[in-house]
Amino acid sequence: MKRFFLIGILGFLLANPLFAQDLNQVSYDSLKRAMIQMDQELYQVQLNLHQSQRQLQTGILVATLGYTVTIIGGQLLGTEPELGEALLYVGGATGIVGTVILFKGFKKISLGPPSPRY
């Protein structure tokens, strides 16, 4: 008799709509939490891309300008060696600075290794 009584109570609790609603609420909360976390990660990626865009463009411009001056300096070595040599050094240094700016821009894009998923 006790068995039937316990089975009946257990069956009532499992069939009770309020109990089922609690299970759905837990599932809904975890889904909502996962969506919020995913939205925050997406925002961070978009922010990193936006912030790095200007720096990458500046790095490309500075590096291109520097290496162009270096080429011009190399061309002038035959006719005006002093000016050509100065342009080689200035252009090379400017190109290196532009490359460093590019590397810093790429570091902003990088988020590191992904976290393990369940």
Side-chain angles (χ1 to χ4, degrees):
M1 185 73 163
K2 278 186 173 181
R3 278 188 175 162
F4 291 119
F5 182 72
L6 288 175
I7 291 174
I9 289 178
L10 185 62
F12 174 76
L13 286 176
L14 291 177
N16 189 354
L18 294 176
F19 184 75
Q21 187 175 6
D22 287 342
L23 289 177
N24 288 338
Q25 185 67 27
V26 170
S27 176
Y28 175 74
D29 288 343
S30 65
L31 180 61
K32 185 177 177 182
R33 209 173 315 116
M35 290 296 292
I36 290 171
Q37 180 183 3
M38 188 178 297
D39 184 54
Q40 289 171 344
E41 289 175 4
L42 177 62
Y43 173 77
Q44 187 63 42
V45 169
Q46 290 174 337
L47 182 64
N48 287 349
L49 287 173
H50 176 72
Q51 289 175 343
S52 66
Q53 178 184 7
R54 187 173 192 98
Q55 190 167 7
L56 290 172
Q57 289 173 343
T58 303
I60 290 170
L61 180 66
V62 171
T64 303
L65 181 66
Y67 294 130
T68 302
V69 170
T70 302
I71 292 169
I72 293 170
Q75 293 293 319
L76 290 176
L77 279 177
T79 57
E80 296 182 36
E82 291 176 10
L83 179 61
E85 188 177 346
L87 288 177
L88 279 173
Y89 290 126
V90 170
T94 306
I96 290 171
V97 167
T99 303
V100 169
I101 293 171
L102 276 170
F103 274 111
K104 286 184 179 181
F106 282 117
K107 281 186 181 179
K108 281 186 180 179
I109 293 175
S110 174
L111 299 175
S115 59
R117 301 289 181 193
Y118 304 109

